[in-house]
Amino acid sequence: MSDSINGIDTFKELYTDYFQAVWGFCNTYLKDREQAMDATQETFFKLYERLDDSYTKRNAVAFIYITAKNICMDILRRNKFKTEDAEQLKDELPSEDSFLEEIATQEMIRCVHSAINQLSGRSLEIATLALEGKSNPEIADVLGISLNSVKSLKKEMYTKLRKIIGHEYIILFFAKHLLHVDK
């Protein structure tokens, strides 16, 4: 995508690339899958309404996360008014730092998923099963291969992912949080 934004194709690309990450971001704070989906859809609707030639991709992504954050804050406020005293709301809403940390986490996850989608064969199968939470023995069972083969194929997969992503910290995050290397 070029740096300048225009047209429905660009909106579709942003929607495809960022929808899951924004949903994860919203779900972290709302802790309600349906509300998170509503917030994510509202975020992209607002982007669609405002997207024009003056936006760069960077501006659009910033707009997406700022809008999602504001929508989540509004929903949390409405929920709080329904259930408890509004004065307590200020102390219980997520901080700006926690929002920024969650954006970074969702962006890392988005980058890893994008890299995984570039894999093929056994590497893609193993990554997909690991992301489903399957342990190495479970992966071996599903694929009908030995445990040592799974471990060996995972090492190859990490090598491929490093080449695709190029940022070792993302691979470390991926390995620690998503692929259960020790199992």
Side-chain angles (χ1 to χ4, degrees):
M1 175 190 326
S2 70
D3 198 37
S4 182
I5 300 286
N6 59 27
I8 191 74
D9 290 336
T10 300
F11 174 79
K12 287 178 183 178
E13 186 175 339
L14 288 165
Y15 184 88
T16 301
D17 289 349
Y18 288 90
F19 189 88
Q20 190 64 37
V22 173
W23 179 85
F25 173 82
C26 293
N27 193 46
T28 296
Y29 292 101
L30 299 175
K31 296 176 181 28
D32 181 299
R33 297 172 75 82
E34 286 184 38
Q35 283 185 337
M37 184 61 71
D38 291 345
T40 303
Q41 290 172 344
E42 185 176 344
T43 296
F44 281 95
F45 180 74
K46 288 181 184 230
L47 174 67
Y48 183 79
E49 287 181 321
R50 294 184 188 210
L51 194 63
D52 64 31
D53 291 342
S54 68
Y55 276 76
T56 63
K57 182 176 180 181
R58 188 175 178 175
N59 294 136
V61 171
F63 177 86
I64 289 168
Y65 280 111
I66 290 168
T67 302
K69 172 193 160 202
N70 291 337
I71 291 168
C72 287
M73 296 293 282
D74 289 345
I75 291 170
L76 289 169
R77 285 185 191 103
R78 280 195 306 267
N79 290 348
K80 192 67 172 172
F81 279 120
K82 290 178 189 175
T83 59
E84 294 180 21
D85 183 15
E87 280 300 311
Q88 294 176 1
L89 178 66
K90 210 181 272 183
D91 297 330
E92 295 179 16
L93 287 177
S95 69
E96 190 71 25
D97 288 341
S98 70
F99 275 115
L100 293 174
E101 185 176 318
E102 186 58 28
I103 288 170
T105 299
Q106 292 302 323
E107 280 300 294
M108 282 193 292
I109 291 169
R110 188 186 67 76
C111 287
V112 169
H113 279 277
S114 177
I116 287 171
N117 288 334
Q118 295 178 44
L119 297 173
S120 61
R122 287 287 191 193
S123 293
L124 178 59
E125 289 177 316
I126 288 175
T128 302
L129 291 169
L131 286 172
E132 291 172 4
K134 301 221 182 298
S135 67
N136 285 349
E138 291 170 325
I139 293 170
D141 188 50
V142 168
L143 296 179
I145 60 177
S146 73
L147 181 58
N148 284 336
S149 293
V150 170
K151 290 177 182 179
S152 176
L153 288 166
K154 267 191 176 182
K155 286 180 185 179
E156 288 176 25
M157 179 189 65
Y158 290 136
T159 300
K160 290 176 185 177
L161 287 173
R162 273 189 210 95
K163 288 178 184 174
I164 294 168
I165 296 173
H167 297 290
E168 221 168 283
Y169 69 91
I170 294 175
I171 297 297
L172 294 173
F173 175 85
F174 182 69
K176 180 178 178 188
H177 295 286
L178 301 175
L179 284 185
H180 314 291
V181 174
D182 297 330
K183 291 183 181 176

